[in-house]
Amino acid sequence: FCSQAPIRATLFPGDGIGPEIADSVKEVFNAADVPIEWEEHYVGTEIDPRTQSFLTWESLESVRRNRVGLKGPMATPIGKGHRSLNLTLRKELNLYANVRPCYSLPGYKTRYDDVDLITIRENTEGEYSGLEHQVVRGVVESLKIITRQASLRVAEYAFHYAKTHGRQRVSAIHKANIMQKTDGLFLKCCREVAEKYPEITYEEVVIDNCCMMLVKNPALFDVLVMPNLYGDIISDLCAGLIGGLGLTPSCNIGEGGIALAEAVHGSAPDIAGKNLANPTALLLSSVMMLRHLNLTDKATRIQDAIINTIAEGKYRTADLGGSSTTSEFTKAICDHL
Amino acid sequence: FCSQAPIRATLFPGDGIGPEIADSVKEVFNAADVPIEWEEHYVGTEIDPRTQSFLTWESLESVRRNRVGLKGPMATPIGKGHRSLNLTLRKELNLYANVRPCYSLPGYKTRYDDVDLITIRENTEGEYSGLEHQVVRGVVESLKIITRQASLRVAEYAFHYAKTHGRQRVSAIHKANIMQKTDGLFLKCCREVAEKYPEITYEEVVIDNCCMMLVKNPALFDVLVMPNLYGDIISDLCAGLIGGLGLTPSCNIGEGGIALAEAVHGSAPDIAGKNLANPTALLLSSVMMLRHLNLTDKATRIQDAIINTIAEGKYRTADLGGSSTTSEFTKAICDHL
Ligand SMILES: CC(C)[C@H](C(=O)O)[C@@H](O)C(=O)O
Ligand SMILES: CC(C)[C@H](C(=O)O)[C@@H](O)C(=O)O
């Protein structure tokens, strides 16, 4: 690998603790000799008219060109006339599937052992259409849009993921007993795709029941695929099972093989710049990026080092009950490589 | 009480295990000398054109007249041209708030101790509008409707509940960062009502974050109020924390003081008629009905008997890991009275 030309990848360090945890990734990648050359992009301070948001057109072009990137937390500035940074990225880059693996970290105890779940969320439509209006005074409506194209696309991704990752079961999460047309179409698409994967068990679970079963016994599930809002909800619930968003990686998959890995936690402005942040979610996201690039050995080495450092328990950041700084924790990971 | 004229209440035993668990309530009420006279109504076998569902007009009239009722599980028959039984009840009786207390049952161990949550769900609109259509081939939309009237009404109910039940905090659950108009209106109404209750702490929590926090630490919450679908999801999640829907009561509140208490679990056709069902959810729902009727002493006595029977652990139904029949468990409760 070392003689190979480096792979260019876009890096959005993001706001708040973003730059610190991005530094942690850079350090670990250096220590592991990962052949990645970062193209760093920051969120702009003015609205870029070409994106209608604080994201610059150049930064989006960078991801489009490199086809791979890593993103820290971005706090959407408050005010009118611009689009949310996260939603702009998803829409502009057509990031249609959000993949969040959620597994118990050895040595970090929660109420749940051996959680091992993959949530795959449709990322472009549904309740996130942005279509809303006032019908008459005191009566407002939002439109949830489900299309055959986007549903087939994410279902296809989920089954393909299950097959290529040795997973046995795909559960489609829905509320088609109430939203028969929208969620019904989503299920219809999942069923169509399921037929092409006879080796994968397919089931349909109503969202309320799914949440109840997840907190009672997460082992009942394997890969979960669902429309946008349910994915938002269930992926956070699953993150809670293993300790929170500070520990869960994610990766957004776009048309044409774009992958933007992302830490989905907040920018934690209260501890920003204090060397206190936990870089685990961004590090594990960077591991997903490496796997996407087929840098499997590097990915496994780094992932093991992160997991072993947390398992050992000697170096942990404050959110995990330890007293290590971001740099100490990062160094411990490098030492484990 | 015994010399008082009995209070008439409607009873919908429902389908599947419904009649057995309704028998359990009748037995316990007899043993506790509860001054209730039941007016029993079954779901019809044909669509009643006046309700467009299998519910008869007479059964709805019974609730309207008595203003109080108890409902077992009702399985909506599959087929076209009729409305879901549960939704028909909610719409026809204008049952605008669904209240689900969720508390750990002493002696029945789950991963969570000392859960004590009240979810209050708007029950008439939101994602349950039933308004859906195909826009063009492969593109469907559902309408989520939020009104000022229904939002104020459920918010008012939640704060009033908090105040009269010695609760400290009301959390409004939403996704107004995405659905700014609909969930935004819901929050606006909650804020307006919150101002009238300065003694109650008011906060707003995004639904995804709420689910994560609930599974990490349910003690962070007290009373939760939310639009229809979030209530559906969160109330099942909360039920999961303490063991499932078989243990959680609920009560629907309608305009003009109607109260329809309800076991929200399914009709469990596989064990129906076998004397195996757990009547706890319906029994605890009947306790909510008694409290609504200000039969507080009876309510407390019965609730204590249920809780003590489960805590003692000698008589438990199979779903709780025991081997008692429905009748043995019911008898044990009567003995505890
Ligand atoms: C910040 C918010 C708009 C976003 C979402 O709702 O998708 C977040 O919760 C997420 O899951 O990435
Ligand atoms: C059966 C279903 C229509 C219903 C709902 O979605 O409201 C149920 O889940 C409930 O919570 O009462």
Side-chain angles (χ1 to χ4, degrees):
Chain A
F1 274 121
C2 293
S3 59
Q4 203 193 341
I7 300 163
R8 293 184 75 81
T10 306
L11 178 62
F12 292 104
D15 307 307
I17 56 171
E20 294 160 77
I21 61 178
D23 279 347
S24 171
V25 173
K26 288 189 246 173
E27 253 173 74
V28 173
F29 273 32
N30 275 341
D33 269 329
V34 178
I36 293 271
E37 197 169 285
W38 295 111
E39 231 177 81
E40 264 184 60
H41 284 271
Y42 282 84
V43 176
T45 51
E46 279 166 45
I47 296 174
D48 186 323
R50 294 164 300 174
T51 67
Q52 287 171 59
S53 88
F54 288 85
L55 285 169
T56 64
W57 185 253
E58 287 69 26
S59 65
L60 296 183
E61 277 303 303
S62 166
V63 187
R64 284 201 189 94
R65 192 173 51 241
N66 296 326
R67 317 206 71 70
V68 67
L70 180 67
K71 170 187 169 295
M74 288 180 183
T76 294
I78 292 170
K80 295 239 159 96
H82 65 87
R83 295 196 294 172
S84 137
L85 302 178
N86 287 309
L87 298 196
T88 303
L89 277 167
R90 291 176 200 167
K91 293 232 160 147
E92 291 292 332
L93 300 172
N94 212 347
L95 299 171
Y96 66 85
N98 181 258
V99 185
R100 294 204 200 165
C102 214
Y103 44 88
S104 303
L105 290 172
Y108 183 65
K109 255 202 93 49
T110 70
R111 293 183 165 88
Y112 298 85
D113 298 317
D114 303 322
V115 175
D116 183 13
L117 298 164
I118 310 286
T119 63
I120 297 182
R121 161 185 184 183
E122 202 293 320
N123 222 6
T124 64
E125 56 177 30
E127 306 78 358
Y128 285 65
S129 71
L131 299 168
E132 293 187 293
H133 63 272
Q134 175 172 308
V135 183
V136 294
R137 236 185 115 99
V139 179
V140 285
E141 64 184 32
S142 302
L143 269 59
K144 165 170 167 172
I145 310 284
I146 299 283
T147 68
R148 181 168 159 79
Q149 191 224 346
S151 304
L152 282 175
R153 186 169 63 172
V154 75
E156 185 61 64
Y157 187 83
F159 278 93
H160 183 259
Y161 184 100
K163 182 172 177 166
T164 52
H165 290 72
R167 300 271 170 178
Q168 316 298 323
R169 175 194 295 265
V170 171
S171 311
I173 312 305
H174 68 94
K175 190 78 195 178
N177 47 342
I178 296 300
M179 281 162 280
Q180 295 174 7
K181 293 204 175 147
T182 47
D183 286 5
L185 175 57
F186 183 81
L187 289 184
K188 189 166 174 288
C189 293
C190 288
R191 279 175 215 155
E192 271 181 51
V193 176
E195 288 198 355
K196 298 196 288 170
Y197 292 83
E199 69 280 27
I200 310 279
T201 307
Y202 171 66
E203 63 170 4
E204 296 169 357
V205 184
V206 180
I207 172 125
D208 45 338
N209 191 32
C210 176
C211 289
M212 188 175 68
M213 287 161 75
L214 276 171
V215 298
K216 284 186 74 173
N217 184 7
L220 294 171
F221 295 99
D222 189 348
V223 175
L224 300 97
V225 63
M226 56 222 130
N228 213 338
L229 181 67
Y230 309 153
D232 182 49
I233 293 171
I234 298 250
S235 60
D236 270 38
L237 189 166
C238 291
L241 302 175
I242 64 133
L245 291 181
L247 299 174
T248 48
S250 106
C251 191
N252 298 284
I253 304 296
E255 291 283 13
I258 281 189
L260 182 63
E262 172 190 20
V264 288
H265 56 66
S267 58
D270 50 320
I271 59 160
K274 295 188 179 153
N275 201 15
L276 292 173
N278 181 355
T280 301
L282 194 66
L283 281 164
L284 290 176
S285 300
S286 76
V287 168
M288 289 183 80
M289 186 189 92
L290 295 180
R291 288 200 198 282
H292 179 85
L293 291 167
N294 283 321
L295 295 173
T296 315
D297 294 345
K298 300 288 184 198
T300 306
R301 245 182 94 205
I302 294 175
Q303 184 170 12
D304 288 349
I306 299 165
I307 289 176
N308 293 336
T309 304
I310 294 173
E312 205 183 63
K314 210 168 139 198
Y315 297 97
R316 280 188 188 171
T317 47
D319 58 315
L320 301 187
S323 60
S324 300
T325 61
T326 311
S327 343
E328 284 161 358
F329 178 67
T330 304
K331 186 171 175 306
I333 294 169
C334 294
D335 291 346
H336 269 92
L337 278 169
Chain B
F1 274 121
C2 293
S3 58
Q4 202 194 340
I7 300 164
R8 294 183 75 82
T10 306
L11 178 63
F12 292 104
D15 308 306
I17 56 171
E20 294 160 77
I21 60 178
D23 279 347
S24 171
V25 173
K26 289 188 246 171
E27 254 174 72
V28 172
F29 274 30
N30 274 342
D33 268 329
V34 177
I36 293 272
E37 197 169 283
W38 294 112
E39 231 176 81
E40 262 185 61
H41 282 272
Y42 281 84
V43 176
T45 51
E46 279 167 47
I47 296 173
D48 186 324
R50 295 164 299 174
T51 68
Q52 288 172 56
S53 89
F54 288 85
L55 285 169
T56 63
W57 185 253
E58 287 69 27
S59 65
L60 296 183
E61 277 303 303
S62 165
V63 187
R64 283 201 190 93
R65 192 172 53 241
N66 296 326
R67 315 206 72 69
V68 67
L70 180 67
K71 170 186 170 293
M74 288 179 182
T76 294
I78 291 169
K80 295 238 160 99
H82 66 88
R83 295 196 293 171
S84 138
L85 303 178
N86 287 309
L87 299 196
T88 303
L89 278 167
R90 291 177 199 166
K91 294 231 161 148
E92 291 291 331
L93 301 173
N94 212 346
L95 300 171
Y96 66 84
N98 181 258
V99 185
R100 294 203 200 166
C102 214
Y103 45 88
S104 303
L105 290 171
Y108 183 64
K109 255 202 92 51
T110 69
R111 293 183 166 89
Y112 299 85
D113 299 317
D114 302 322
V115 175
D116 183 12
L117 298 164
I118 309 286
T119 62
I120 298 183
R121 162 185 182 182
E122 202 294 320
N123 222 6
T124 64
E125 56 178 32
E127 306 77 357
Y128 286 64
S129 71
L131 299 168
E132 294 188 292
H133 62 271
Q134 174 172 307
V135 184
V136 295
R137 234 187 116 98
V139 179
V140 285
E141 64 185 30
S142 301
L143 269 58
K144 164 170 168 172
I145 310 284
I146 299 283
T147 67
R148 182 169 158 77
Q149 191 225 346
S151 304
L152 281 175
R153 185 169 65 171
V154 74
E156 187 61 66
Y157 186 84
F159 278 93
H160 182 258
Y161 184 101
K163 184 173 177 167
T164 53
H165 290 73
R167 299 272 170 175
Q168 316 298 323
R169 173 195 295 266
V170 170
S171 311
I173 312 304
H174 68 95
K175 190 77 195 179
N177 48 342
I178 296 300
M179 282 162 280
Q180 295 174 7
K181 294 206 174 146
T182 47
D183 285 4
L185 175 57
F186 183 81
L187 289 184
K188 190 166 172 291
C189 293
C190 288
R191 279 175 215 154
E192 271 181 53
V193 176
E195 287 198 356
K196 298 196 287 169
Y197 293 83
E199 68 279 27
I200 309 280
T201 306
Y202 171 66
E203 64 169 4
E204 296 169 356
V205 184
V206 180
I207 173 125
D208 45 336
N209 191 32
C210 176
C211 290
M212 188 176 69
M213 286 160 76
L214 276 171
V215 299
K216 286 186 74 173
N217 184 7
L220 294 171
F221 295 98
D222 188 348
V223 175
L224 301 97
V225 63
M226 56 223 130
N228 213 339
L229 182 67
Y230 308 154
D232 182 49
I233 294 171
I234 299 250
S235 60
D236 270 38
L237 189 166
C238 291
L241 302 176
I242 63 134
L245 291 182
L247 299 173
T248 48
S250 107
C251 190
N252 298 285
I253 304 297
E255 290 283 13
I258 282 189
L260 183 63
E262 171 190 21
V264 288
H265 56 66
S267 57
D270 48 320
I271 59 160
K274 296 189 178 152
N275 200 15
L276 291 173
N278 181 356
T280 302
L282 194 66
L283 281 164
L284 290 176
S285 300
S286 76
V287 167
M288 289 183 80
M289 188 190 90
L290 295 179
R291 289 199 198 284
H292 180 84
L293 291 168
N294 282 321
L295 296 173
T296 315
D297 293 345
K298 301 286 183 198
T300 305
R301 245 181 94 206
I302 295 175
Q303 185 170 12
D304 288 349
I306 300 165
I307 289 178
N308 292 336
T309 304
I310 294 173
E312 205 183 64
K314 210 167 140 200
Y315 297 97
R316 279 187 188 170
T317 47
D319 58 316
L320 301 187
S323 60
S324 301
T325 61
T326 311
S327 345
E328 285 161 357
F329 178 67
T330 305
K331 185 170 176 309
I333 293 169
C334 294
D335 292 345
H336 269 92
L337 279 169

